[in-house]
């Protein structure tokens, strides 16, 4: 019997409008009514993830930054795993060397040193994930979305790294050319056993502390709540979801998931824009997966 349902956000729980559909909300509420806890596991930071959930009345535990931080139902921080500043400086040097754009997620929020490139990256993501959306409309949506994400813009990341009161939790590197342009830095970083490099979309790589993975965070959370992993259901779409799909007793990939991700899921569900999360939840309830 499933006791805990864990869902990724972008490309999974959120539809093409970056919203949680009414059908998904209804299914989550039904699961809660039956005593099944719902949880989000996302690459987003807490302040970046909360607005879309609060908008539809969802208050739940959250794994954020791929496992860099974990929060309980009340928004209290219960887990924190970061990257040391020296390693961060080396990563930023490599990002600059390859002419790429990156963002730093810290214990004090999201930091960018180039607002224009951030908007360009978000526009590209929205346009490619929603083929029916024109580039102009994707730009409008990107600007609107960024207004509620509480991003901190700085002239140079040095001021972030020199602040000893905050910890670096994740580094997100973008390329509009896709993984081919990101492969060299990914390959170099993979040699560092203290880091884990994943991806949440074709235009990025996500760099975390090696223990900051959704699957590891999920295992810890379930253990603390006394929930066996065979009674956990996970839903995802991209490579940063693989670690949790591997450990969950029931694992679903949405139809729009990367093919390389689908092989790690026991079941498939509809796309994120076709209420795939709701379908998976109701199947879990009705078939007692």
């Amino acid at each position: 019997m499933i006791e805990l349902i864990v869902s990724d956000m972008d490309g999974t729980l959120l539809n093409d409008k970056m919203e949680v559909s009414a059908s998904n909300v209804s299914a989550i509420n039904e699961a809660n009514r039956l005593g099944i806890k719902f949880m989000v596991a996302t690459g987003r930071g807490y302040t970046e993830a909360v607005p879309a959930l609060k908008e539809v009345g969802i208050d739940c535990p959250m794994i954020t930054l791929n496992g860099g931080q974990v929060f309980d139902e009340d928004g209290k921080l219960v887990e924190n795993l970061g990257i040391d500043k020296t390693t961060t400086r080396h990563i930023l040097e490599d990002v600059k060397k390859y002419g790429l754009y990156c963002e730093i997620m810290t214990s004090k929020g999201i930091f960018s040193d180039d607002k224009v490139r951030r908007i360009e990256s978000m526009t590209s993501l929205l346009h490619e994930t929603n083929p029916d959306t024109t580039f102009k409309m994707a730009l409008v949506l990107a600007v609107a979305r960024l207004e509620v994400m509480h991003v901190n813009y700085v002239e140079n990341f040095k001021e972030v790294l020199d602040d000893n009161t905050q910890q670096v939790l994740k580094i997100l590197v973008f390329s509009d050319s896709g993984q081919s342009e990101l492969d060299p830095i990914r390959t170099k970083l993979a040699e560092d056993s203290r880091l884990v490099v994943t991806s949440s979309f074709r235009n990025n790589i996500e760099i975390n502390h090696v223990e900051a993975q959704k699957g590891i965070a999920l295992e810890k959370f379930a253990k603390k709540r006394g929930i066996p992993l065979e009674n956990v259901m996970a839903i995802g779409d991209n490579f940063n979801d693989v670690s949790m799909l591997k450990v969950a007793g029931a694992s679903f990939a949405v139809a729009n998931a990367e093919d390389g991700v689908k092989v790690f899921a026991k079941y498939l569900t509809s796309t994120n824009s076709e209420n795939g999360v709701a379908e998976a939840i109701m199947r879990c309830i009705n078939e007692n997966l």
Side-chain angles (χ1 to χ4, degrees), residues 3 12-13 24 31 36 61-62 64 73 82 126-128 134 137 201 231 239 252-253 257 259 276:
E3 298 179 60
T12 305
L13 179 64
N24 284 348
I36 304 171
M62 299 175 65
T64 66
E73 296 90 334
L126 290 171
H127 181 56
E128 291 194 30
T134 65
M137 180 54 67
F201 190 63
N231 292 351
F239 292 99
F252 282 82
D259 289 339

Side-chain angles (χ1 to χ4, degrees), residues 13 24-25 45 50 55 65 74 85 95 106 115 119 141 147 163 183 194 200 213 223 233 280:
L13 179 64
N24 284 348
V25 173
V50 163
E55 187 176 334
L65 301 172
D74 301 317
K85 297 287 184 67
V95 169
T106 81
K115 188 172 185 178
I119 292 174
L141 291 171
E147 286 180 356
D163 181 357
D183 277 344
R194 300 166 299 176
S200 60
Q213 300 184 49
K223 184 176 181 180
M233 171 181 147

Side-chain angles (χ1 to χ4, degrees), residues 15-280:
N15 59 23
D16 55 359
K17 295 180 181 179
M18 295 294 175
E19 299 171 340
V20 184
S21 71
S23 293
N24 284 348
V25 173
S26 178
I28 290 168
N29 289 338
E30 176 63 10
N32 286 333
R33 187 185 70 81
L34 295 172
I36 304 171
K37 185 172 290 293
F38 179 77
M39 183 179 197
V40 161
T42 178
R44 296 186 184 203
Y46 184 81
T47 57
E48 188 182 13
V50 163
L53 300 174
K54 292 289 186 183
E55 187 176 334
V56 292
I58 296 176
D59 292 303
C60 65
M62 299 175 65
I63 295 170
T64 66
L65 301 172
N66 291 334
Q69 291 187 317
V70 180
F71 296 83
D72 65 14
E73 296 90 334
D74 301 317
K76 179 183 177 183
L77 180 66
V78 295
E79 185 79 38
N80 201 73
L81 285 168
I83 306 169
D84 70 78
K85 297 287 184 67
T86 299
T87 300
T88 298
R89 289 186 176 90
H90 291 158
I91 293 171
L92 294 180
E93 288 172 4
D94 286 335
V95 169
K96 185 176 181 180
K97 171 185 170 184
Y98 290 110
L100 299 169
Y101 166 69
C102 77
E103 296 169 8
I104 299 178
M105 283 70 170
T106 81
S107 51
K108 289 189 176 180
I110 305 167
F111 289 84
S112 168
D113 66 347
D114 192 327
K115 188 172 185 178
V116 172
R117 291 190 74 173
R118 184 172 219 280
I119 292 174
E120 288 175 348
S121 296
M122 183 62 66
T123 301
S124 175
L125 186 152
L126 290 171
H127 181 56
E128 291 194 30
T129 53
N130 306 290
D132 295 332
T133 301
T134 65
F135 189 84
K136 184 176 180 179
M137 180 54 67
L139 176 60
V140 172
L141 291 171
V143 172
R145 181 181 173 189
L146 293 176
E147 286 180 356
V148 299
M149 285 187 180
H150 310 292
V151 178
N152 303 288
Y153 294 100
V154 294
E155 287 295 324
N156 192 299
F157 284 131
K158 183 179 185 299
E159 61 186 273
V160 178
L161 300 182
D162 288 346
D163 181 357
N164 294 324
T165 66
Q166 62 181 314
Q167 182 181 25
V168 175
L169 299 166
K170 188 178 88 166
I171 301 169
L172 188 59
V173 185
F174 295 91
S175 168
D176 288 340
S177 299
Q179 294 298 319
S180 59
E181 189 173 30
L182 293 166
D183 277 344
I185 190 170
R186 175 197 285 271
T187 300
K188 181 174 182 179
L189 293 173
E191 298 173 357
D192 192 332
S193 61
R194 300 166 299 176
L195 303 173
V196 61
V197 183
T198 57
S199 175
S200 60
F201 190 63
R202 60 163 294 277
N203 77 338
N204 72 37
I205 57 172
E206 304 187 341
I207 307 158
N208 284 87
H209 183 286
V210 69
E211 294 291 319
Q213 300 184 49
K214 291 184 181 183
I216 295 174
L218 175 55
E219 283 190 80
K220 290 179 180 178
F221 181 86
K223 184 176 181 180
K224 287 180 181 178
R225 298 297 176 101
I227 302 173
L229 287 172
E230 57 264 30
N231 292 351
V232 174
M233 171 181 147
I235 317 167
D237 77 304
N238 224 303
F239 292 99
N240 62 338
D241 300 317
V242 169
S243 62
M244 72 175 182
L245 295 179
K246 284 182 175 181
V247 302
S251 54
F252 282 82
V254 287
N256 53 287
E258 296 285 341
D259 289 339
V261 174
K262 291 178 181 177
V263 298
F264 292 100
K266 293 180 180 177
Y267 310 102
L268 295 179
T269 186
S270 299
T271 69
N272 65 312
S273 294
E274 297 171 321
N275 308 308
V277 167
E279 180 183 309

